[in-house]
Amino acid sequence: MVALATAEACDTNAALLASGDLRVLQPTFQIYGQCRAFSGSIVTLKVFEDNVLVRELLEIRGEGRVLVIDGGGSMRCALVGGNLGQLAQNMGWVGIVLNGCIRDVDEINACDIGVRALASNPLKSNKKGIGEKHVPVYIAGTWIRDGEWLYADSDGILVSKSELSI
């Protein structure tokens, strides 16, 4: 997959930015994983300090999609660790964007996916299975919806209502 440079996408899509069809996430994320740049159709998930539904979604074939998780910005525990990073890679997900924490940083950094998260925390999450799949989530200053497109690289993260051409 050819990566779309986010800076170039912003420069060449002023009308989409003005209309809100292309949005820039606030720069609050740390970069993890082997893939510094990734893009794909979005699958959304809203959870809080509970990663059962994260695993459920990652066990489904990713088919080049990006899992966007609204973890409520919690810094008290991790929602994704090395096992889930490896599962995401094995199941064909290209990336995970997490409004929350990861753990097992070295393991995630060895995975051939892109991961963006707020920070790392060694404490694991609860296992109650509470949350919502495929719902609009508000992360880093913008609404993100299931089926939209996400583009991430070292400069930042963009969300588009439709796939951008390279």
Side-chain angles (χ1 to χ4, degrees):
M1 175 190 317
V2 177
L4 182 108
T6 58
E8 185 177 333
C10 287
D11 293 349
T12 58
N13 290 287
L16 292 176
L17 285 165
S19 71
D21 288 347
L22 179 63
R23 296 158 332 264
V24 180
L25 273 64
Q26 295 168 352
T28 58
F29 297 94
Q30 303 297 312
I31 298 174
Y32 303 98
Q34 288 290 309
C35 294
R36 308 301 275 179
F38 60 93
S39 64
S41 178
I42 294 170
V43 174
T44 59
L45 177 62
K46 185 177 181 78
V47 296
F48 188 73
E49 297 180 357
D50 183 332
N51 75 348
V52 170
L53 298 182
V54 176
R55 176 175 288 282
E56 280 183 17
L57 282 175
L58 291 176
E59 287 174 340
I60 298 167
R61 289 248 165 247
E63 299 173 338
R65 293 178 292 175
V66 178
L67 180 58
V68 175
I69 306 165
D70 181 2
S74 174
M75 304 292 264
R76 298 189 307 196
C77 66
L79 292 173
V80 173
N83 290 338
L84 291 182
Q86 189 65 50
L87 177 63
Q89 174 188 304
N90 294 345
M91 295 303 289
W93 294 85
V94 296
I96 299 170
V97 175
L98 170 57
N99 184 28
C101 293
I102 65 164
R103 69 184 205 162
D104 306 322
V105 171
D106 292 339
E107 292 175 35
I108 288 177
N109 282 341
C111 291
D112 191 24
I113 60 170
V115 176
R116 301 295 187 272
L118 300 180
S120 63
N121 184 321
L123 186 64
K124 69 180 179 180
S125 74
N126 295 314
K127 310 283 188 218
K128 296 179 182 174
I130 299 170
E132 298 174 279
K133 300 176 190 176
H134 312 293
V135 296
V137 294
Y138 190 79
I139 297 175
T142 191
W143 283 101
I144 302 172
R145 292 166 185 82
D146 217 61
E148 291 187 315
W149 283 77
L150 185 138
Y151 301 88
D153 64 12
S154 297
D155 287 330
I157 303 171
L158 304 178
V159 172
S160 176
K161 285 196 178 197
S162 58
E163 186 174 9
L164 299 174
S165 49
I166 298 197

